[in-house]
Amino acid sequence: MPFYLTQVGYTPESWAAQIKSQQDVRERVGPAAEALGGRLNSVFYAFGEHDLIAIVEFPNDAAVAAWSIATSAGGALRSLKTTPLISVEDGLGALRDASKVTEAYRAPR
């Protein structure tokens, strides 16, 4: 199943609500992922540009997009970024394929 990196930024109002009620974020968003055939792999709080980082698995891009839309629609997020991830093996395969294409591709001049 494909992996995705999700980076989340909370609104100040969301942080205030979380301070009042310290719920486990995995319990809030995990069931929504499971409803779309996905699962949370790893979830971390972070400091800096993003407040929460997650590695998630979903059956396809449409499923992770639906999950992202649904979680964003709640109004607790100021930002959400989802990045598809590929394995090292697939990355090496892409490099091999790219080496075949470089001879056929001509850059603009």
Side-chain angles (χ1 to χ4, degrees):
M1 197 157 38
F3 286 91
Y4 301 86
L5 168 69
T6 302
Q7 299 166 291
V8 171
Y10 287 120
T11 64
E13 296 82 10
S14 178
W15 276 122
Q18 291 180 66
I19 289 169
K20 287 181 184 174
S21 173
Q22 296 95 35
Q23 250 187 325
D24 188 324
V25 65
R26 296 169 295 190
E27 293 173 4
R28 288 197 321 263
V29 299
E34 292 166 8
L36 294 161
R39 78 178 192 95
L40 305 179
N41 191 288
S42 302
V43 179
F44 302 92
Y45 283 101
F47 302 100
E49 183 180 352
H50 305 289
D51 300 317
L52 195 78
I53 306 294
I55 303 294
V56 297
E57 295 177 72
F58 279 90
N60 53 52
D61 292 345
V64 75
W67 181 70
S68 296
I69 292 166
T71 55
S72 294
L77 307 182
R78 65 175 166 73
S79 65
L80 182 136
K81 180 179 179 181
T82 301
T83 305
L85 303 173
I86 63 172
S87 68
V88 171
E89 292 76 19
D90 286 345
L92 290 170
L95 290 170
R96 283 190 295 276
D97 291 345
S99 70
K100 298 172 194 171
V101 174
T102 55
E103 293 184 22
Y105 173 74
R106 291 196 302 222
R109 297 176 191 205

XYZ file of all heavy atoms in Angstrom:
823
model
N 0.858 -1.171 0.000
C 0.000 0.000 0.000
C 0.907 1.237 0.000
O 1.895 1.268 0.732
C -0.900 -0.041 1.234
C -2.058 0.868 1.116
S -3.543 0.544 2.123
C -2.984 -0.007 3.677
N 0.593 2.263 -0.772
C 1.438 3.460 -0.837
C 1.513 4.214 0.494
O 0.560 4.242 1.266
C 0.756 4.316 -1.899
C -0.076 3.388 -2.697
C -0.484 2.293 -1.751
N 2.670 4.825 0.714
C 2.902 5.652 1.893
C 2.834 7.122 1.510
O 3.178 7.498 0.385
C 4.297 5.386 2.478
C 4.422 4.080 3.197
C 4.827 2.948 2.518
C 4.148 3.991 4.550
C 4.961 1.736 3.175
C 4.276 2.779 5.212
C 4.683 1.656 4.524
N 2.435 7.953 2.479
C 2.356 9.399 2.288
C 2.872 10.085 3.547
O 2.646 9.612 4.665
C 0.906 9.838 2.052
C 0.280 9.186 0.842
C -0.323 7.938 0.946
C 0.315 9.800 -0.394
C -0.897 7.321 -0.158
C -0.250 9.195 -1.514
C -0.842 7.954 -1.386
O -1.399 7.351 -2.490
N 3.540 11.211 3.353
C 3.957 12.077 4.450
C 2.906 13.167 4.567
O 2.602 13.838 3.573
C 5.327 12.695 4.149
C 5.764 13.839 5.053
C 6.049 13.340 6.464
C 6.985 14.529 4.471
N 2.347 13.345 5.752
C 1.372 14.401 5.992
C 1.952 15.362 7.019
O 2.415 14.933 8.075
C 0.036 13.817 6.499
O -0.452 12.887 5.533
C -0.992 14.890 6.705
N 1.918 16.646 6.689
C 2.425 17.692 7.579
C 1.270 18.641 7.889
O 0.624 19.158 6.990
C 3.568 18.444 6.899
C 4.736 17.526 6.567
C 5.716 18.176 5.611
O 5.402 18.398 4.448
N 6.891 18.472 6.113
N 1.021 18.848 9.176
C -0.152 19.589 9.628
C 0.267 20.783 10.463
O 1.194 20.695 11.269
C -1.051 18.659 10.480
C -2.160 19.431 11.159
C -1.605 17.535 9.631
N -0.447 21.882 10.273
C -0.316 23.054 11.145
C -1.676 23.331 11.767
O -2.691 23.387 11.068
N -1.728 23.454 13.095
C -2.980 23.718 13.800
C -3.255 25.212 13.896
O -2.330 26.025 13.956
C -2.923 23.153 15.227
C -3.013 21.659 15.311
C -1.987 20.910 15.867
C -4.143 20.985 14.855
C -2.073 19.529 15.963
C -4.234 19.595 14.946
C -3.198 18.889 15.497
O -3.297 17.525 15.587
N -4.531 25.573 13.987
C -4.911 26.952 14.268
C -4.711 27.202 15.765
O -4.689 26.247 16.565
C -6.393 27.204 13.927
O -7.206 26.399 14.793
C -6.691 26.905 12.461
N -4.599 28.472 16.180
C -4.525 28.758 17.619
C -5.747 28.235 18.374
O -5.620 27.743 19.503
C -4.451 30.288 17.670
C -3.842 30.678 16.358
C -4.391 29.681 15.373
N -6.914 28.320 17.754
C -8.132 27.823 18.403
C -8.063 26.307 18.627
O -8.522 25.799 19.649
C -9.360 28.175 17.553
C -9.621 29.663 17.412
C -8.777 30.350 16.333
O -8.093 29.651 15.542
O -8.784 31.590 16.291
N -7.483 25.602 17.672
C -7.332 24.156 17.818
C -6.377 23.825 18.960
O -6.648 22.918 19.754
C -6.823 23.545 16.512
O -6.632 22.152 16.677
N -5.270 24.550 19.053
C -4.343 24.329 20.163
C -5.039 24.579 21.500
O -4.869 23.811 22.451
C -3.114 25.223 20.042
C -2.032 24.684 19.163
C -1.500 25.279 18.064
C -1.333 23.445 19.310
N -0.516 24.483 17.513
C -0.389 23.356 18.259
C -1.407 22.384 20.221
C 0.464 22.271 18.100
C -0.552 21.300 20.061
C 0.365 21.261 19.012
N -5.826 25.649 21.576
C -6.537 25.959 22.827
C -7.489 24.821 23.207
O -7.548 24.419 24.374
C -7.302 27.273 22.686
N -8.206 24.282 22.221
C -9.116 23.167 22.487
C -8.341 21.930 22.936
O -8.794 21.193 23.829
C -9.945 22.864 21.236
N -7.175 21.690 22.338
C -6.379 20.517 22.701
C -5.772 20.650 24.092
O -5.589 19.644 24.791
C -5.278 20.290 21.661
C -5.827 19.833 20.320
C -4.735 19.606 19.307
O -3.913 18.706 19.478
N -4.719 20.406 18.252
N -5.473 21.867 24.501
C -4.967 22.088 25.860
C -6.049 21.737 26.880
O -5.778 21.107 27.910
C -4.478 23.546 26.039
C -3.192 23.750 25.237
C -4.271 23.873 27.516
C -2.759 25.203 25.117
N -7.291 22.123 26.580
C -8.404 21.845 27.497
C -8.734 20.363 27.560
O -9.103 19.839 28.605
C -9.640 22.626 27.071
C -9.535 24.103 27.348
C -10.797 24.814 26.924
C -10.629 26.312 27.135
N -11.773 27.065 26.609
N -8.640 19.675 26.435
C -9.002 18.263 26.372
C -7.893 17.511 25.650
O -7.856 17.486 24.429
C -10.329 18.098 25.615
O -10.612 16.732 25.411
N -6.991 16.926 26.402
C -5.828 16.249 25.813
C -6.202 14.879 25.255
O -5.925 13.857 25.864
C -4.694 16.102 26.842
C -4.125 17.404 27.306
C -4.759 17.891 28.585
O -5.105 17.110 29.443
N -4.922 19.185 28.709
N -6.817 14.906 24.072
C -7.180 13.677 23.376
C -6.000 13.207 22.534
O -5.259 14.020 21.989
C -8.341 13.966 22.428
C -9.631 13.357 22.820
C -10.637 13.588 21.700
O -10.637 14.610 21.031
N -11.496 12.621 21.501
N -5.871 11.925 22.380
C -4.843 11.350 21.519
C -5.233 11.598 20.065
O -6.297 11.164 19.612
C -4.723 9.843 21.789
C -3.552 9.193 21.079
O -3.227 9.597 19.941
O -2.975 8.260 21.651
N -4.380 12.308 19.339
C -4.679 12.661 17.948
C -4.927 11.422 17.096
O -5.740 11.435 16.173
C -3.559 13.549 17.357
C -2.246 12.789 17.267
C -3.950 14.080 15.990
N -4.261 10.327 17.416
C -4.448 9.095 16.652
C -5.873 8.576 16.775
O -6.427 8.024 15.830
C -3.434 8.044 17.102
C -1.988 8.474 16.809
C -0.995 7.587 17.488
N -1.127 7.734 18.945
C -0.285 7.241 19.824
N 0.742 6.522 19.411
N -0.459 7.421 21.106
N -6.481 8.781 17.931
C -7.865 8.350 18.132
C -8.849 9.244 17.391
O -9.942 8.812 17.035
C -8.193 8.317 19.626
C -7.408 7.251 20.373
C -7.593 7.328 21.868
O -8.391 8.169 22.355
O -6.920 6.552 22.575
N -8.454 10.504 17.152
C -9.331 11.433 16.430
C -9.309 11.187 14.927
O -10.341 11.241 14.273
C -8.911 12.882 16.701
C -9.221 13.375 18.084
C -9.172 14.897 18.187
N -8.099 15.527 17.435
C -6.922 15.892 17.942
N -6.645 15.666 19.204
N -6.016 16.482 17.188
N -8.127 10.947 14.350
C -8.019 10.869 12.885
C -7.831 9.450 12.355
O -8.057 9.205 11.178
C -6.906 11.801 12.350
C -7.201 13.238 12.709
C -5.538 11.386 12.860
N -7.430 8.532 13.211
C -7.220 7.151 12.782
C -8.464 6.488 12.206
O -8.405 5.881 11.138
N -9.621 6.596 12.889
C -10.827 5.973 12.346
C -11.219 6.521 10.964
O -11.728 5.782 10.125
C -11.890 6.288 13.399
C -11.121 6.413 14.676
C -9.832 7.086 14.262
N -10.966 7.795 10.719
C -11.267 8.370 9.405
C -10.366 7.748 8.342
O -10.812 7.467 7.223
C -11.093 9.884 9.435
N -9.105 7.521 8.672
C -8.189 6.858 7.732
C -8.660 5.429 7.467
O -8.709 4.986 6.319
C -6.765 6.857 8.280
N -9.028 4.721 8.519
C -9.476 3.329 8.378
C -10.749 3.229 7.543
O -10.928 2.267 6.789
C -9.670 2.715 9.763
C -8.361 2.530 10.506
C -8.528 2.244 11.986
O -9.675 2.029 12.444
O -7.504 2.239 12.695
N -11.631 4.229 7.633
C -12.870 4.227 6.858
C -12.598 4.278 5.360
O -13.431 3.867 4.560
C -13.753 5.409 7.270
N -11.404 4.758 4.991
C -11.006 4.851 3.580
C -9.990 3.781 3.199
O -9.365 3.856 2.151
C -10.430 6.242 3.308
C -11.444 7.386 3.435
C -10.744 8.719 3.626
C -12.354 7.398 2.221
N -9.806 2.792 4.060
C -8.865 1.716 3.772
C -7.431 2.043 4.118
O -6.511 1.329 3.735
N -7.210 3.132 4.853
C -5.861 3.547 5.217
C -5.541 3.244 6.658
O -6.348 2.673 7.388
N -4.339 3.645 7.045
C -3.947 3.500 8.449
C -2.826 4.468 8.766
O -2.023 4.831 7.888
C -3.554 2.079 8.783
C -2.199 1.631 8.347
C -1.908 0.191 8.795
N -0.511 -0.127 8.621
C 0.413 -0.021 9.570
N 0.088 0.392 10.764
N 1.673 -0.349 9.324
N -2.780 4.886 10.023
C -1.688 5.724 10.500
C -0.508 4.818 10.789
O -0.647 3.836 11.509
C -2.088 6.461 11.782
C -3.355 7.315 11.734
C -3.587 7.943 13.098
C -3.261 8.376 10.664
N 0.632 5.127 10.229
C 1.828 4.331 10.464
C 2.606 4.904 11.636
O 2.930 4.199 12.576
C 2.678 4.289 9.196
C 3.791 3.298 9.256
O 4.753 3.526 9.965
N 3.654 2.200 8.537
N 2.919 6.195 11.567
C 3.643 6.904 12.626
C 3.093 8.320 12.709
O 2.817 8.939 11.686
C 5.135 6.996 12.313
O 5.694 5.728 12.140
N 2.980 8.830 13.928
C 2.516 10.203 14.134
C 3.432 10.848 15.162
O 3.742 10.246 16.194
C 1.050 10.230 14.640
C 0.586 11.663 14.862
C 0.133 9.510 13.662
N 3.869 12.082 14.858
C 4.786 12.804 15.735
C 4.355 14.260 15.862
O 3.961 14.879 14.871
C 6.217 12.810 15.158
C 6.779 11.449 14.922
C 6.644 10.830 13.692
C 7.454 10.780 15.939
C 7.163 9.574 13.458
C 7.983 9.519 15.716
C 7.831 8.913 14.477
N 4.451 14.811 17.068
C 4.357 16.260 17.204
C 5.694 16.824 16.753
O 6.736 16.179 16.892
C 4.070 16.667 18.650
C 2.624 16.462 19.030
C 2.235 15.362 19.771
C 1.654 17.371 18.633
C 0.911 15.164 20.114
C 0.321 17.185 18.973
C -0.044 16.084 19.713
O -1.357 15.886 20.043
N 5.667 18.034 16.216
C 6.887 18.650 15.700
C 6.919 20.116 16.125
O 5.895 20.689 16.515
C 6.924 18.539 14.177
N 8.077 20.718 16.033
C 8.252 22.129 16.359
C 8.750 22.837 15.111
O 9.623 22.334 14.415
C 9.261 22.298 17.500
C 8.853 21.559 18.738
C 9.419 20.336 19.048
C 7.882 22.072 19.578
C 9.043 19.641 20.184
C 7.491 21.385 20.712
C 8.078 20.167 21.024
N 8.182 23.985 14.837
C 8.593 24.734 13.656
C 7.421 24.994 12.747
O 6.306 25.266 13.191
N 7.643 24.864 11.461
C 6.623 25.166 10.467
C 5.395 24.259 10.606
O 4.271 24.684 10.387
C 7.218 25.024 9.067
C 6.276 25.377 7.954
C 6.910 25.223 6.582
O 8.132 24.983 6.475
O 6.155 25.334 5.604
N 5.601 23.011 10.969
C 4.509 22.045 11.090
C 4.380 21.604 12.543
O 5.373 21.476 13.252
C 4.765 20.839 10.188
C 5.002 21.229 8.764
N 4.011 21.713 7.940
C 6.135 21.248 8.033
C 4.519 21.987 6.765
N 5.807 21.719 6.792
N 3.148 21.386 12.962
C 2.876 20.989 14.344
C 2.765 19.478 14.518
O 2.964 18.959 15.607
C 1.571 21.634 14.823
C 1.634 23.150 14.762
O 2.672 23.721 15.148
O 0.644 23.769 14.313
N 2.417 18.796 13.440
C 2.228 17.355 13.496
C 2.711 16.763 12.182
O 2.444 17.312 11.113
C 0.736 17.033 13.684
C 0.388 15.623 14.104
C 0.652 15.438 15.598
C -1.077 15.338 13.821
N 3.430 15.653 12.269
C 3.930 14.941 11.092
C 3.416 13.508 11.186
O 3.487 12.896 12.257
C 5.486 14.905 11.077
C 6.090 16.303 11.203
C 6.002 14.160 9.852
C 5.829 17.223 10.058
N 2.914 12.987 10.083
C 2.427 11.603 10.091
C 2.882 10.890 8.828
O 2.937 11.482 7.756
C 0.908 11.567 10.182
N 3.206 9.632 8.981
C 3.403 8.729 7.852
C 2.152 7.862 7.830
O 1.829 7.193 8.815
C 4.661 7.848 8.015
C 5.914 8.700 8.214
C 4.800 6.894 6.826
C 6.311 9.540 7.030
N 1.430 7.925 6.723
C 0.170 7.191 6.599
C 0.223 6.289 5.379
O 0.994 6.521 4.455
C -1.036 8.166 6.514
C -1.164 8.970 7.794
C -0.923 9.091 5.316
N -0.605 5.270 5.389
C -0.737 4.363 4.247
C -2.170 4.428 3.758
O -3.104 4.386 4.570
C -0.429 2.922 4.657
C 0.994 2.676 5.081
C 1.177 1.240 5.531
O 1.171 0.340 4.670
O 1.298 1.031 6.751
N -2.339 4.526 2.445
C -3.664 4.516 1.834
C -3.606 3.696 0.566
O -2.557 3.594 -0.067
C -4.139 5.941 1.522
C -4.702 6.648 2.716
C -3.886 7.397 3.544
C -6.053 6.551 3.026
C -4.394 8.030 4.659
C -6.571 7.184 4.137
C -5.758 7.931 4.953
N -4.758 3.142 0.145
C -4.750 2.303 -1.044
C -4.390 3.067 -2.322
O -3.859 2.483 -3.257
C -6.172 1.756 -1.135
C -6.923 2.285 0.018
C -6.036 3.148 0.826
N -4.671 4.387 -2.350
C -4.400 5.165 -3.562
C -4.449 6.657 -3.255
O -4.820 7.065 -2.145
C -5.393 4.793 -4.678
C -6.828 4.911 -4.213
O -7.246 5.922 -3.679
N -7.596 3.838 -4.401
N -4.106 7.463 -4.259
C -4.079 8.922 -4.087
C -5.464 9.484 -3.775
O -5.591 10.418 -2.981
C -3.534 9.597 -5.346
C -2.056 9.322 -5.577
O -1.356 8.848 -4.651
O -1.582 9.596 -6.701
N -6.499 8.928 -4.395
C -7.849 9.432 -4.159
C -8.271 9.232 -2.702
O -8.917 10.113 -2.111
C -8.842 8.746 -5.096
N -7.892 8.122 -2.105
C -8.257 7.851 -0.708
C -7.554 8.813 0.237
O -8.169 9.356 1.157
C -7.932 6.404 -0.346
N -6.259 9.057 0.020
C -5.550 9.987 0.900
C -6.050 11.410 0.681
O -6.114 12.207 1.619
C -4.006 9.872 0.763
C -3.502 10.514 -0.508
C -3.314 10.494 1.973
N -6.442 11.736 -0.549
C -7.009 13.060 -0.815
C -8.329 13.231 -0.065
O -8.578 14.285 0.543
C -7.213 13.258 -2.316
N -9.172 12.212 -0.069
C -10.443 12.273 0.653
C -10.211 12.458 2.144
O -10.894 13.257 2.802
C -11.256 11.006 0.389
N -9.240 11.739 2.684
C -8.907 11.860 4.108
C -8.396 13.264 4.421
O -8.798 13.872 5.410
C -7.868 10.796 4.461
C -7.440 10.773 5.885
C -8.185 10.379 6.967
C -6.160 11.129 6.405
N -7.423 10.467 8.117
C -6.182 10.920 7.797
C -4.992 11.595 5.818
C -5.096 11.177 8.606
C -3.890 11.848 6.633
C -3.947 11.643 8.010
N -7.544 13.793 3.565
C -7.012 15.142 3.762
C -8.123 16.186 3.717
O -8.160 17.110 4.533
C -5.960 15.460 2.695
O -4.856 14.605 2.817
N -9.023 16.046 2.765
C -10.143 16.985 2.641
C -11.031 16.917 3.877
O -11.407 17.947 4.447
C -10.948 16.694 1.363
C -10.110 17.037 0.127
C -12.273 17.462 1.361
C -10.660 16.482 -1.181
N -11.360 15.712 4.297
C -12.246 15.538 5.459
C -11.622 16.104 6.722
O -12.299 16.783 7.508
C -12.586 14.063 5.641
N -10.330 15.847 6.945
C -9.698 16.360 8.163
C -9.518 17.870 8.094
O -9.602 18.554 9.110
C -8.357 15.651 8.444
O -7.508 15.763 7.303
C -8.567 14.190 8.786
N -9.301 18.418 6.920
C -9.179 19.871 6.767
C -10.513 20.569 6.972
O -10.568 21.695 7.460
C -8.661 20.221 5.371
O -7.356 19.769 5.200
N -11.599 19.918 6.584
C -12.924 20.528 6.644
C -13.381 20.819 8.072
O -14.278 21.639 8.277
C -13.944 19.628 5.952
N -12.762 20.184 9.048
C -13.151 20.408 10.438
C -12.795 21.779 10.977
O -13.305 22.197 12.007
N -11.898 22.493 10.302
C -11.541 23.841 10.712
C -10.415 23.945 11.734
O -10.059 25.041 12.142
N -9.835 22.825 12.153
C -8.781 22.847 13.170
C -7.392 23.099 12.584
O -6.448 23.356 13.325
C -8.775 21.535 13.941
N -7.275 23.037 11.262
C -5.953 23.133 10.639
C -5.758 24.469 9.932
O -6.647 24.944 9.235
C -5.774 21.998 9.619
C -6.037 20.577 10.120
C -5.777 19.588 9.001
C -5.196 20.277 11.344
N -4.563 25.029 10.069
C -4.206 26.212 9.292
C -3.479 25.807 8.029
O -3.422 26.550 7.060
C -3.375 27.188 10.114
C -2.024 26.683 10.525
C -1.182 27.729 11.237
N -0.067 27.096 11.889
C 0.999 26.609 11.275
N 1.105 26.681 9.971
N 1.975 26.036 11.955
N -2.926 24.579 8.034
C -2.232 24.070 6.846
C -2.215 22.549 6.886
O -2.249 21.945 7.956
C -0.802 24.599 6.774
O -0.036 24.119 7.855
N -2.171 21.963 5.696
C -2.039 20.514 5.563
C -1.340 20.253 4.239
O -1.730 20.800 3.209
C -3.399 19.821 5.585
C -3.307 18.298 5.501
C -4.261 17.668 6.494
C -3.617 17.817 4.112
N -0.291 19.479 4.294
C 0.465 19.139 3.090
C 0.650 17.634 3.059
O 1.078 17.038 4.049
C 1.831 19.837 3.117
C 2.695 19.562 1.922
C 4.013 20.323 2.032
C 4.896 20.037 0.840
N 6.171 20.749 0.943
N 0.328 17.018 1.923
C 0.477 15.578 1.776
C 1.437 15.304 0.627
O 1.264 15.835 -0.468
C -0.888 14.917 1.496
O -1.766 15.223 2.583
C -0.757 13.411 1.377
N 2.452 14.498 0.888
C 3.481 14.177 -0.094
C 3.521 12.675 -0.318
O 3.712 11.913 0.633
C 4.868 14.641 0.413
O 4.799 16.031 0.738
C 5.945 14.396 -0.614
N 3.343 12.211 -1.563
C 3.485 10.776 -1.834
C 4.938 10.345 -1.613
O 5.868 11.084 -1.937
C 3.111 10.638 -3.317
C 2.439 11.904 -3.692
C 2.956 12.954 -2.759
N 5.117 9.171 -1.058
C 6.453 8.623 -0.810
C 6.637 7.357 -1.635
O 5.680 6.614 -1.849
C 6.625 8.299 0.675
C 6.416 9.454 1.645
C 6.456 8.952 3.085
C 7.450 10.544 1.425
N 7.861 7.121 -2.085
C 8.149 5.860 -2.778
C 9.318 5.187 -2.074
O 10.154 5.841 -1.459
C 8.435 6.055 -4.287
C 9.684 6.907 -4.512
C 7.240 6.686 -4.990
C 10.116 6.954 -5.979
N 9.365 3.887 -2.187
C 10.429 3.123 -1.538
C 11.767 3.396 -2.227
O 11.812 3.887 -3.368
C 10.117 1.623 -1.614
O 10.194 1.185 -2.967
N 12.838 3.052 -1.554
C 14.175 3.180 -2.147
C 14.263 2.316 -3.401
O 14.816 2.734 -4.425
C 15.270 2.807 -1.118
C 16.633 2.727 -1.778
C 15.289 3.817 0.019
N 13.677 1.123 -3.334
C 13.707 0.224 -4.502
C 13.007 0.869 -5.695
O 13.515 0.827 -6.826
C 13.055 -1.128 -4.171
C 13.822 -1.973 -3.176
C 13.679 -1.506 -1.729
O 12.728 -0.750 -1.403
O 14.538 -1.879 -0.915
N 11.838 1.471 -5.461
C 11.130 2.155 -6.548
C 11.903 3.380 -7.025
O 11.909 3.700 -8.212
C 9.721 2.553 -6.117
C 8.777 1.368 -6.034
O 9.109 0.282 -6.568
O 7.690 1.534 -5.447
N 12.561 4.063 -6.094
C 13.391 5.211 -6.468
C 14.552 4.793 -7.357
O 14.876 5.466 -8.345
N 15.172 3.665 -7.027
C 16.260 3.153 -7.868
C 15.732 2.754 -9.245
O 16.391 2.988 -10.267
C 16.940 1.962 -7.187
C 17.775 2.316 -5.952
C 18.199 1.053 -5.212
C 18.970 3.161 -6.335
N 14.533 2.176 -9.272
C 13.908 1.847 -10.556
C 13.655 3.105 -11.375
O 13.859 3.119 -12.597
N 13.228 4.173 -10.715
C 13.008 5.445 -11.411
C 14.322 5.992 -11.970
O 14.354 6.535 -13.084
C 12.367 6.457 -10.467
N 15.404 5.843 -11.218
C 16.715 6.288 -11.709
C 17.132 5.488 -12.942
O 17.652 6.049 -13.916
C 17.774 6.154 -10.612
C 17.644 7.137 -9.454
C 18.595 6.755 -8.327
C 17.894 8.559 -9.926
N 16.881 4.178 -12.899
C 17.198 3.349 -14.074
C 16.374 3.791 -15.285
O 16.893 3.940 -16.390
C 16.953 1.869 -13.765
C 18.045 1.230 -12.926
C 17.896 -0.289 -12.842
N 16.679 -0.692 -12.144
C 16.568 -0.792 -10.815
N 17.604 -0.514 -10.042
N 15.434 -1.179 -10.268
N 15.087 4.014 -15.066
C 14.229 4.467 -16.158
C 14.655 5.845 -16.655
O 14.631 6.110 -17.862
C 12.765 4.498 -15.718
C 12.188 3.108 -15.503
O 12.811 2.113 -15.955
O 11.112 3.020 -14.884
N 15.037 6.728 -15.734
C 15.480 8.069 -16.126
C 16.720 8.001 -17.006
O 16.875 8.798 -17.935
C 15.751 8.922 -14.887
N 17.596 7.035 -16.726
C 18.811 6.925 -17.545
C 18.457 6.573 -18.987
O 19.156 6.975 -19.916
C 19.783 5.900 -16.954
O 19.282 4.591 -17.101
N 17.353 5.856 -19.202
C 16.909 5.529 -20.557
C 16.322 6.761 -21.254
O 16.462 6.926 -22.459
C 15.847 4.429 -20.518
C 16.326 3.122 -19.940
C 15.154 2.172 -19.769
C 15.533 1.000 -18.890
N 14.365 0.186 -18.539
N 15.664 7.607 -20.477
C 14.979 8.772 -21.030
C 15.948 9.906 -21.346
O 15.722 10.678 -22.276
C 13.886 9.264 -20.047
C 13.260 10.557 -20.506
C 12.832 8.194 -19.865
N 17.045 10.008 -20.618
C 17.952 11.142 -20.809
C 18.496 11.214 -22.226
O 18.777 12.304 -22.724
C 19.127 11.110 -19.802
O 19.797 9.856 -19.907
C 18.649 11.324 -18.391
N 18.625 10.082 -22.891
C 19.108 10.108 -24.272
C 18.014 10.551 -25.237
O 18.306 11.105 -26.290
C 19.651 8.736 -24.656
C 20.902 8.387 -23.872
C 21.502 7.056 -24.311
O 21.222 6.625 -25.444
O 22.255 6.492 -23.513
N 16.755 10.340 -24.885
C 15.647 10.723 -25.768
C 15.165 12.153 -25.509
O 14.590 12.771 -26.390
C 14.479 9.759 -25.570
N 15.427 12.672 -24.317
C 14.947 14.005 -23.944
C 15.901 15.081 -24.398
O 17.125 14.944 -24.257
C 14.759 14.078 -22.418
C 14.436 15.471 -21.931
C 13.186 16.013 -22.149
C 15.390 16.236 -21.275
C 12.876 17.285 -21.704
C 15.080 17.513 -20.822
C 13.835 18.032 -21.049
O 13.539 19.295 -20.620
N 15.355 16.159 -24.933
C 16.183 17.320 -25.301
C 15.658 18.532 -24.535
O 14.472 18.892 -24.670
C 16.124 17.564 -26.792
C 16.831 16.468 -27.561
C 17.131 16.868 -28.974
N 15.912 17.236 -29.691
C 15.631 16.886 -30.925
N 16.481 16.163 -31.597
N 14.517 17.273 -31.496
N 16.516 19.148 -23.766
C 16.142 20.329 -22.990
C 15.938 21.516 -23.927
O 16.556 21.606 -24.992
C 17.239 20.653 -21.970
N 15.061 22.466 -23.541
C 14.884 23.664 -24.355
C 16.174 24.482 -24.401
O 16.934 24.501 -23.442
C 13.779 24.435 -23.634
C 13.459 23.696 -22.390
C 14.232 22.446 -22.361
N 16.392 25.124 -25.541
C 17.617 25.943 -25.687
C 17.257 27.352 -26.026
O 16.366 27.702 -26.650
C 18.497 25.369 -26.782
C 18.962 23.993 -26.409
C 19.739 23.387 -27.521
N 19.932 21.981 -27.191
C 20.897 21.270 -27.631
N 21.775 21.770 -28.437
N 21.011 20.024 -27.300
